[in-house]
């Protein structure tokens, strides 16, 4: 559905995008993850025919983004970080306008607008001007507008930046609904949790280059295992707890706060081994948990690999 080959873009002396290649199957979610200036919007703009590439080629649904831009536009929807809604129009009028622009008749446009207002939880606010909408409502209206033409491919450029957690969760659910309907989604984000929530595949961009590409699970694997953390019933039993875990072949250390111990493990098997070790050593625990590395850790590890210095978060 999306195919990019050696795609690059230069702005003066800045290489915003440096020879990116990838293929994306239908109905999948690709997440472009990167900090400000990584090249995410540049890549989305090229794929959405808004910006010509300096080098390389890209196809959407088989159409070339430069030579067949009009065909590409019939298949895509685009939502930016800054909502493209008309503030002076009501929510319903915004959707009607887009539907009419896309060539729908009056009745058809009205039906589609109604359907989308319902789907995006805007029915109650349908007759208020968009100026009165909250940030989350505006973003939903923008998303609804990009969905009017039932696009096969949807580009979402930082769709939840600046949204509160509730609005963000609502938007994630909408994206899942769209994907469930067969839409292919390319989403950019600076939020690692967002990639974890939505992506089938993540490409990490840094300075216009792809520095990692894979599933969230694969990226996490690059960091090694998980961490088990146990809270001891008796904080004075720390030494005994450490000995018990060492006997089980783990390499534990005392944790913070006092009375907890941690150890790197290989997933849930390691968790079970730790529980057995405490049990057979007679060390009582009041809690034990397994935490997997987050995508944030992955990004930092990759950035450190590249530059050799820790990146401030
Ligand atoms: N129109 C432009 N003119 C000059 N430089 C640009 C332009 N658009 C983007 N850039 C530069 O290209 C790089 C990538 O930008 P961008 O794709 O917007 O990153 P992101 O969306 O990941 O924040 C940045 O260094 C940015 O300053
Ligand atoms: Mg951007």
């Amino acid at each position: 559905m999306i195919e990019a080959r050696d795609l690059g873009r230069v702005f003066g002396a800045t290489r915003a995008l440096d020879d990116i290649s990838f293929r994306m199957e239908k109905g999948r979610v690709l997440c472009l993850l990167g900090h400000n200036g990584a090249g995410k919007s540049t890549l989305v703009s090229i794929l959405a025919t808004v910006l010509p590439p300096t080098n390389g080629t890209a196809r959407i649904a088989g159409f070339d983004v430069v030579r067949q831009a009009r065909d590409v536009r019939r298949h895509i929807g685009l939502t930016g970080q800054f909502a493209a809604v008309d503030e002076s129009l009501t929510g319903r009028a915004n959707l009607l306008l887009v539907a009419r622009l896309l060539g729908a008749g009056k009745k058809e446009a009205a039906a589609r607008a109604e359907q989308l207002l319902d789907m995006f939880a805007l029915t109650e606010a349908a007759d208020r001007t968009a100026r009165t909408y909250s940030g989350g409502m505006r973003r939903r209206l923008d998303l609804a507008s990009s969905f009017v033409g039932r696009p096969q491919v949807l580009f979402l450029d930082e769709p939840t930046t600046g949204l509160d957690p509730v609005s963000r969760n609502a938007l994630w659910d909408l994206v899942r609904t769209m994907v469930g309907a067969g839409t292919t989604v390319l989403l950019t984000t600076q939020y690692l949790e967002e990639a974890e929530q939505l992506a089938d595949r993540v490409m990490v961009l840094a300075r216009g280059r792809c520095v990692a590409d894979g599933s969230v699970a694969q990226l996490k694997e690059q960091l090694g295992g998980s961490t088990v953390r146990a809270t001891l019933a008796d904080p004075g039993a720390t030494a005994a707890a450490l000995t018990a875990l060492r006997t089980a072949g783990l390499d534990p250390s005392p944790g913070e706060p006092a009375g907890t111990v941690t150890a790197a493990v290989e997933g849930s098997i390691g968790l079970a081994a730790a529980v057995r070790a405490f049990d057979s050593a007679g060390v009582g625990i009041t809690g034990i948990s397994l935490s997997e590395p987050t995508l944030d850790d992955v990004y930092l590890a990759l950035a450190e690999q590249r530059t050799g210095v820790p990146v401030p978060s």
Side-chain angles (χ1 to χ4, degrees):
M1 192 54 68
I2 307 177
E3 186 181 1
R5 240 184 251 170
D6 301 326
L7 217 48
R9 173 70 205 201
V10 174
F11 292 108
T14 308
R15 188 165 283 276
L17 203 64
D18 199 355
D19 293 348
I20 299 287
S21 299
F22 67 94
R23 290 169 62 95
M24 201 50 211
E25 306 298 327
K26 181 176 155 53
R28 296 272 156 160
V29 182
L30 170 64
C31 228
L32 293 176
L33 185 64
H35 288 314
N36 255 329
K40 304 181 298 294
S41 294
T42 301
L43 180 51
V44 167
S45 301
I46 292 172
L47 295 175
T49 78
V50 178
L51 181 78
T54 313
N55 57 276
T57 56
R59 286 175 175 277
I60 307 288
F63 297 107
D64 187 282
V65 295
V66 176
R67 286 180 291 109
Q68 297 167 297
R70 282 166 60 103
D71 295 300
V72 169
R73 281 182 212 134
R74 279 193 294 112
H75 290 85
I76 64 170
L78 172 64
T79 304
Q81 187 175 344
F82 306 101
V85 301
D86 188 330
E87 304 259 302
S88 65
L89 296 179
T90 66
R92 178 182 280 109
N94 263 287
L95 295 176
L96 283 173
L97 179 69
V98 177
R100 297 287 281 167
L101 283 173
L102 288 174
K106 265 196 181 152
K107 262 192 167 168
E108 191 192 343
R112 184 67 175 149
E114 225 50 53
Q115 191 183 25
L116 289 170
L117 286 167
D118 179 48
M119 180 175 167
F120 290 80
L122 289 167
T123 303
E124 267 178 43
D127 296 314
R128 279 167 38 198
T129 57
R131 186 175 294 120
T132 67
Y133 283 15
S134 69
M137 291 164 73
R138 230 171 261 229
R139 211 61 70 82
R140 293 208 299 280
L141 179 58
D142 191 31
L143 204 55
S145 308
S146 70
F147 214 51
V148 170
R150 297 183 178 80
Q152 293 186 25
V153 179
L154 201 56
F155 296 105
L156 306 175
D157 195 7
E158 298 201 26
T160 66
T161 294
L163 291 189
D164 61 84
V166 174
S167 302
R168 183 173 297 171
N169 270 298
L171 205 123
W172 288 344
D173 281 340
L174 285 172
V175 172
R176 292 188 190 106
T177 306
M178 292 165 158
V179 173
T183 313
T184 305
V185 173
L186 191 153
L187 174 144
T188 80
T189 185
Q190 302 192 37
Y191 302 119
L192 309 142
E193 195 195 349
E194 188 151 284
E196 290 201 81
Q197 286 286 332
L198 298 174
D200 294 303
R201 174 181 174 188
V202 182
M203 286 173 65
V204 183
L205 288 189
R207 291 182 213 87
R209 284 172 170 265
C210 173
V211 294
D213 183 357
S215 67
V216 173
Q218 282 168 337
L219 284 176
K220 282 182 171 178
E221 243 170 55
Q222 297 189 0
L223 268 193
S226 321
T227 304
V228 65
R229 169 183 299 272
T231 305
L232 307 176
D234 170 12
T238 304
L242 293 175
T243 305
L245 291 178
R246 276 191 207 104
T247 309
L250 299 174
D251 182 19
S253 29
E256 286 285 334
T260 63
V261 292
T262 65
V265 294
E266 300 278 334
S268 53
I269 295 173
L271 178 66
V275 171
R276 279 197 303 273
F278 289 133
D279 194 34
S280 56
V283 175
I285 54 172
T286 56
I288 189 160
S289 66
L290 183 71
S291 60
E292 295 198 32
T294 67
L295 210 48
D296 211 355
D297 299 327
V298 174
Y299 190 80
L300 289 173
L302 288 167
E304 281 169 28
Q305 264 172 32
R306 275 180 63 76
T307 60
V309 291
V311 176
S313 53

